[in-house]
Amino acid sequence: MRSTTVFSKRPFWTQRAGELIHGWREMVHPSSLPADAAAGLSVACVALPLNVALATAAGLPASVGLVSGVVAGIVGGLLGGSRFQVTGPEAALLPLAAAIVAAHGAAGLAIATVLAGAMQVALGLVRAGRFARLIPRPVVMGFTVGIGLLLLNTQLPRLFAVEGTHADAVALVLQRTWGGHVGWLGVAAGALTALAMLTLPRLHKRIPAVLVGLTLGTGLMVWLGAGYDAVGALPRSLPMPTLPSFEGVHLAGLLPAALGLALLASLGSLLATSSLDALTGARTHSDLDQDLVAQGLANVAAGLCGGFPVMGAIVRASASIQAGARTRAASVMHALWLFVAMALLAPLVARIPIAALTAILLVVGVRLLNLEGLVAMWNQSKSTLSVVLVTALGIAMFNVFAGIGAGLALATLLYVRRHGALRLEVQRVTDASQLQRNLHVQSPEAPNAPQALDLLVARVGGPILFINHLKLYDLVDGPPWAKLVVIDLSRVSLVDAAGVATLKYLAEFLSVRSAHLALVKVPPQLEAALEPLAQHLLEARMHGSLEEALLGAGLVHPAPMEPAHAHRQEMGHVPVGGEGWRGGAEEAR
């Protein structure tokens, strides 16, 4: 956990090392170790079947999921940016992992996992983790909903044992020729497993519903004596880390997949860690940069052991917190309990039906949909719900990055529409008397003063952006055109490139018609962006006030001052034009 007081004067990475050492000391404290061991056992009960289910769903041996859970769980638990984060195979990574296996084989996935881990470490070292907090919450929710849709779409054919002829759930609906090929016993085992997962937690939260469901589903298949697809033999020890073989692997084609895996694992882990901060009510944020480094090293370790890619898992971490976890030891103990299960219970795990494991993923997918949250969002804000649905459908129909990109784009447009509306207050002035009540000026000495003044004053409010800049073209709607157009920018918070280009066009448009554009009361934060426009403006500069612009254009003269007031001006206390525009004159200087 990042502290704002401890180690605050040390260099960045020295501070991180100090915090890790402090966390490791907490792990072995006698007062917290029993609670962490119990919490780790609870998490292992959830993680073991899920790890096996994800590995088999990706077309890999079940042992790959178990090995990844053990190795990555230890590395992530020891080095993570959050003391409560639990690292392991996660459902969000399944679609991409399965695609890599299909295209490049198991060796390709191991290589991609190692490369992705190295990229994550690099992201952490350049401190890119902080940007995760900028992702809008509706996009985060759409991410989880989209992963849920992906799980349902890909796992339903596996439950019915028709994945060889029907690639996804959509095909099941469109092609109704699969009824005679369904393995109904497997469906029954899966249904029994899912029923236990959904009902037992209502009786008591501490009941290991997943393990009970798997036991019931496996017992049903064994009792019926029917042949079924099972997990199969498992090793009873961890493999030695070795570099993956590059033989037969097209590295150039694998690099984009590895990059996608790195970004997906990083994004998922960072979102999970941020959610943990909200869940625990932590007074200090977890260290997202350290978390990236830890997840990267965990992926490197998993890849070297021929494993499944991993990331921070919010479901397991929340289960650990609910079970009473206090320190990092809970995450490490969960991995050690997985190793004990692999070493001692391998014969039992080998008999688990694939259909029962598929049912676990389907239940996880339904929970990720968060239907109650979607209904509540429908009642509260339909625009926010649209961001969630666009993100989720983009992920389900195309890929994770397309979905997140579409969600971010829509969220940006909605934000600009809500907070970026451009407000224009326009006044056409043809008589100087309309201005003299508030300005310390007098009209020019001319026989026909009202006709001598032809002025358009526009007060702009809100940001001038690509989505609203066209509204400024109303200021040159004519003929006739005003001889001077003054735009007050005091209430403008931002001007993007489109806004700057539009202001430049207005200045050039008026210039060729012997008229001028003046920008007044420009906020300090906008001066640098608008500086290139100065040469096209009245007097080739921006003005501090409306009075300055009128005086610069020769449309008015300074009002006569009383002797005492003139004396104060000579002494340097009052700028020309009087008290009413002191701030503008000072800005001009």
Side-chain angles (χ1 to χ4, degrees):
M1 298 287 290
R2 177 178 295 178
S3 172
T4 57
T5 57
V6 181
F7 312 115
S8 59
K9 295 183 180 180
R10 299 184 181 182
F12 179 78
W13 291 109
T14 303
Q15 177 182 337
R16 298 299 165 269
E19 292 174 356
L20 286 176
I21 294 173
H22 178 70
W24 294 341
R25 289 173 178 170
E26 290 181 331
M27 291 173 56
V28 295
H29 199 281
S31 63
S32 61
L33 193 56
D36 287 331
L41 179 59
S42 298
V43 178
C45 292
V46 176
L48 188 148
L50 189 57
N51 292 350
V52 173
L54 290 170
T56 56
L60 299 169
S63 60
V64 170
L66 290 176
V67 169
S68 298
V70 173
V71 174
I74 294 175
V75 175
L78 289 174
L79 302 176
S82 169
R83 69 173 68 185
F84 298 114
Q85 185 60 277
V86 180
T87 302
E90 182 67 351
L93 300 173
L94 175 58
L96 187 52
I100 294 174
V101 172
H104 303 280
L109 180 62
I111 295 172
T113 303
V114 172
L115 293 175
M119 295 176 191
Q120 287 181 279
V121 172
L123 288 173
L125 293 177
V126 299
R127 305 183 66 180
R130 72 192 78 178
F131 298 110
R133 301 194 191 278
L134 302 178
I135 300 176
R137 298 305 299 177
V139 176
V140 176
M141 184 176 179
F143 170 76
T144 59
V145 173
I147 297 302
L149 290 175
L150 275 178
L151 286 178
L152 295 178
N153 194 38
T154 57
Q155 297 306 304
L156 276 174
R158 295 186 77 236
L159 177 65
F160 292 107
V162 294
E163 66 272 21
T165 56
H166 298 76
D168 50 44
V170 176
L172 287 179
V173 176
L174 298 179
Q175 304 172 17
R176 303 179 182 181
T177 59
W178 47 271
H181 306 283
V182 174
W184 292 109
L185 291 179
V187 173
L192 190 59
T193 303
L195 183 64
M197 291 180 64
L198 295 173
T199 57
L200 291 181
R202 298 183 180 181
L203 300 178
H204 199 287
K205 292 183 178 180
R206 300 298 291 272
I207 297 176
V210 178
L211 288 182
V212 173
L214 279 179
T215 302
L216 293 175
T218 304
L220 175 65
M221 300 299 287
V222 173
W223 177 64
L224 293 175
Y228 62 91
D229 291 333
V231 169
L234 295 174
R236 297 194 175 190
S237 62
L238 295 176
M240 290 297 295
T242 57
L243 287 174
S245 173
F246 287 80
E247 185 177 355
V249 176
H250 188 237
L251 188 59
L254 189 61
L255 280 176
L259 176 60
L261 198 61
L263 295 177
L264 178 56
S266 299
L267 179 63
S269 296
L270 294 175
L271 294 180
T273 302
S274 299
S275 299
L276 284 179
D277 288 340
L279 182 64
T280 58
R283 287 177 296 177
T284 55
H285 289 304
S286 298
D287 189 340
L288 298 184
D289 299 314
Q290 176 63 33
D291 202 56
L292 275 178
V293 174
Q295 297 302 325
L297 293 175
N299 267 312
V300 170
L304 293 177
C305 293
F308 194 92
V310 298
M311 60 184 271
I314 182 63
V315 175
R316 301 176 209 192
S318 60
S320 178
I321 293 171
Q322 293 168 10
R326 298 182 182 179
T327 71
R328 296 175 179 273
S331 300
V332 177
M333 289 299 298
H334 123 272
L336 296 179
W337 284 121
L338 286 178
F339 176 71
V340 171
M342 187 173 70
L344 302 180
L345 304 178
L348 297 179
V349 176
R351 305 185 69 177
I352 296 176
I354 296 296
L357 297 175
T358 302
I360 295 174
L361 295 179
L362 289 173
V363 173
V364 171
V366 171
R367 288 174 175 170
L368 288 175
L369 294 182
N370 190 11
L371 297 177
E372 293 183 1
L374 294 177
V375 172
M377 192 172 291
W378 169 267
N379 296 326
Q380 295 171 0
S381 173
K382 294 180 176 59
S383 62
T384 303
L385 179 61
S386 67
V387 175
V388 175
L389 294 180
V390 166
T391 304
L393 292 176
I395 291 173
M397 297 175 63
F398 301 102
N399 55 62
V400 171
F401 303 107
I404 292 177
L408 288 174
L410 180 58
T412 302
L413 290 175
L414 291 175
Y415 178 85
V416 170
R417 181 180 178 183
R418 186 179 300 125
H419 302 283
L422 190 66
R423 298 176 298 278
L424 275 181
E425 299 175 10
V426 182
Q427 180 184 11
R428 188 69 177 260
V429 179
T430 57
D431 186 346
S433 62
Q434 296 176 262
L435 297 173
Q436 288 176 23
R437 282 182 295 178
N438 298 319
L439 305 180
H440 295 275
V441 297
Q442 65 178 359
S443 58
E445 298 176 1
N448 195 357
Q451 286 73 22
L453 188 64
D454 188 4
L455 172 67
L456 186 72
V457 180
R459 294 173 178 84
V460 183
I464 304 176
L465 305 172
F466 68 97
I467 199 171
N468 60 21
H469 69 103
L470 295 179
K471 196 170 184 179
L472 293 178
Y473 283 87
D474 294 345
L475 301 180
V476 292
D477 189 19
W481 296 281
K483 293 298 182 182
L484 177 65
V485 175
V486 179
I487 301 181
D488 182 342
L489 298 178
S490 59
R491 292 179 292 176
V492 174
S493 57
L494 176 67
V495 180
D496 69 2
V500 173
T502 298
L503 291 173
K504 179 181 178 182
Y505 171 82
L506 297 182
E508 293 175 343
F509 180 92
L510 293 170
S511 177
V512 298
R513 289 163 178 79
S514 300
H516 299 283
L517 175 68
L519 301 182
V520 304
K521 298 182 180 179
V522 178
Q525 71 270 19
L526 300 183
E527 289 179 354
L530 298 177
E531 186 62 33
L533 292 180
Q535 59 181 319
H536 304 284
L537 301 177
L538 175 68
E539 294 189 308
R541 67 185 182 95
M542 292 174 279
H543 293 80
S545 65
L546 175 60
E547 292 93 324
E548 277 193 50
L550 294 178
L551 290 169
L555 297 180
V556 294
H557 299 309
M561 295 178 289
E562 298 177 0
H565 187 81
H567 177 70
R568 287 199 306 271
Q569 177 186 328
E570 291 176 0
M571 298 298 296
H573 296 295
V574 181
V576 177
E579 300 283 348
W581 56 302
R582 175 181 298 171
E586 290 178 353
E587 277 191 89
R589 289 199 297 270

